[in-house]
Amino acid sequence: MTKKSELLWYESHTRQAPVAILMIIFNVLKSLIRTWWPFILILIFRSDFIRPETVKWWVGVITFIVILISVWRYFRFYFFLSEDKLHVFKGVFTRVKLDIPFDRIQSITFEQNIIHQLFKVARVKVDTAGSSSEEFEFAALDLKKADQLRAFILSRKTSNIADDVTEQKTSGRLLLNLEISDLLKVGISQNHFRTTGIVVAFLLGLRDRIKEALGDRYLNEFDSLTEQLFENIVVYGLGLFITILILSFFGTLIYSVLKYYDFKLWKSKDGYRMESGLFNRREQAARDQKIQIVRWVNNPLRDIFSITQLRFFQASSGSGSSKTSISVPGLPQTLMKDILRYYFGRNIGNIGANEYGIDRSFLIRRSLYLVLVPAIILLSVGIITQTFSWWYFSVFWLVAGFFYQFHLHRKWRYYLQEDGVLTVSGVVERVHKALLLRKVQGVQIKQSPYQWRNGLATVIFHSASGDLQIPYIRMDLALRIKNYTLYKVESSRQKWM
Amino acid sequence: MSSQDFFQNRLIPIEDLPAVESSDFIPIDSRYARVQYLSNSLYFLLIFVVISIFVVVQLGFFSWITYAIVLLWLLLYLVSLWFARVSATKKSYLLRWHDISYREGVFFRSWITIPFSRVQHCEIIKGLIDNLFGLVELRIFTAGGSSSDIVIPGLTPDIAFRLKEQIISKVIDHDEEE
């Protein structure tokens, strides 16, 4: 009991580590820039509002206010622990008092960026099962205090006592440790076409943003710049695409190395724990019981390296949010069998058995709506405007679209197991999803007019962390799957969340 | 016989499983159509006000476009009333020993079933227009996102309350068994 006097700090009002002021300043600046960036752009580009000699005064005043608010915010933020609750007081202009019962706390995670590491503090995130307004984080807590806080809260939780990251830290087997060479494979095998698409969409969106912020004068300059770029689109268009593709390639490569540097994944008796990051060291934990859906994505490049990208979806307040899902890049495909064995809790030798495809009308309907109708519209535009390029585009859409839909339908697979369901979809990128039937919390049958006229249906399995769908199957089969799933859920006595 | 004994035998032929489709669904209160009539009417009234302003300011009363717009408005209004009536008759629910089902949809049909053991909580909501017709809405929540929640509108308070009690008691039963 001599130790008790040392531990008592969290029973009285406690503030964060002083270095938290730095983080708060950073956060205030970030939110300032986020809300005022069009205004800031105007100030920079149309500086006739402010004369250069007064700029330093403005900067000084704003800096002073930001620091004042941050310091104020730091001193307003304090917390203490009672028998069964975490009490937090915060807020400068609107004061907030939070009482979080320990039982509601789902997880407590630590994060350290380079400043945190220097000052031996951690950002502590507290996740609750409820709405996002109840979630909050400590900007910086002394590492030792953070550990004590977590240990205290987890020891006082009446339910989910096993939800203990520190316990898993000591036990558990290192499943995966990615080295730089693995990370190169991960970076190379990302979907670069999607990134390229996002970049192109961003450039297009940028035009509107510039118009909003700066007016038409700068828009013309932007347009003439892009005109130069897009001039002779046939020659340069391809060049631009390849340039962005290459940029995205190296971008993702750097991103992967930064985010997943020294990635480690442990498997303990009842869950997983992972740690990764170069500047921003993150650690996350998931208990087997909390994992609802397992998803892994392959593509041809990953097949060459024989790796896969795996993601565990845990039960959360917002379904499928990235906060509560654990992502494992570059998992060797051979390890996937173990992961599935842990998830299903049995030997999964017969996982490929009971394979089914979906109905042909999936292909017919999608070809009609997504391929034929757009192609006809493109063709009519071509006929009305008398431009041949529209005709070519129409034919291209027709051929490529049908080819894609054909393979999408042909490669759609689902597997019905005694205790679970598996789906595999996608033409180039193959998305696998596995769901244990006892994790299902609702079964839905949906029918479009076409589907009910033709005795077809789409079955949706709802889980606490997202859905799994089987589209276009016979209605009688859908009903049987539904009844069987309900039977499995309702007769299951195992914990599911 | 406790509910635990129901599913002891693992090798049930799939045809013998208790099937949802063979049971009878209970339609919601027919007065719910009136709730929809009123709320649709208010909505279309708002649109009519906007159209009127537009007509006065821009078109004038005797333009053919005015007639066309008003005719289209009337047509859509009638269709919405018809749809309100039909969709209200399609909403129905079913309570079984272990789960609750809800069906809806005229063109795009949906039929969702939630086992009681997966229900997080229930609430009864009294809407403003619902209240005029003496109806309430029962909401059944599951964990995670909202995609698998059930909302049953057009229930009389008495039925909604009894449904809620029934579901809650089942949820507690399941919790105790674990």
Side-chain angles (χ1 to χ4, degrees), chain B residues 158-173:
Chain B
D158 178 46
I159 289 177
F161 188 73
R162 278 192 288 169
L163 276 176
K164 187 186 163 191
E165 286 298 298
Q166 179 70 14
I167 293 168
I168 295 292
S169 71
K170 295 280 188 189
V171 171
I172 291 166
D173 273 0

Side-chain angles (χ1 to χ4, degrees), chain B residues 3-42:
Chain B
S3 59
Q4 261 170 313
D5 300 325
F6 262 85
F7 296 115
Q8 281 293 359
N9 184 2
R10 285 178 71 81
L11 286 170
I12 294 179
I14 208 146
E15 288 75 18
D16 292 353
L17 289 180
V20 193
E21 74 270 25
S22 59
S23 316
D24 285 321
F25 275 75
I26 305 162
I28 61 164
D29 198 290
S30 57
R31 277 174 296 174
Y32 184 69
R34 291 185 225 164
V35 174
Q36 288 294 296
Y37 292 158
L38 186 57
S39 73
N40 281 4
S41 302
L42 288 174

Side-chain angles (χ1 to χ4, degrees), chain A residues 316-317 319 418 438 440-449 452 462 464 467 475 479-480 482-484 486-491 493 495-497, chain B residues 4 7 9-10 12 14 17-21 96 98-99 106-115 117-118 142-145 147-148 174 177-178:
Chain A
S316 67
S317 43
S319 67
E418 195 209 330
R438 70 160 186 275
V440 171
Q441 60 176 3
V443 190
Q444 189 174 16
I445 289 182
K446 272 188 169 175
Q447 290 180 300
S448 69
W452 53 258
H462 296 282
D467 302 342
M475 182 62 176
L479 283 172
R480 278 168 61 182
K482 181 174 172 171
N483 287 332
Y484 181 71
L486 288 172
Y487 153 69
K488 289 303 276 190
V489 175
E490 288 161 8
S491 63
R493 289 284 161 262
K495 272 210 161 279
W496 61 285
M497 206 171 86
Chain B
Q4 261 170 313
F7 296 115
N9 184 2
R10 285 178 71 81
I12 294 179
I14 208 146
L17 289 180
V20 193
E21 74 270 25
R96 299 194 305 168
H98 288 293
D99 51 37
V106 180
F107 298 112
F108 290 87
R109 294 176 184 176
S110 154
W111 170 6
I112 183 163
T113 305
I114 297 180
S117 55
R118 300 293 182 261
T142 56
S147 64
S148 55
H174 278 282
E177 279 167 22
E178 274 167 19

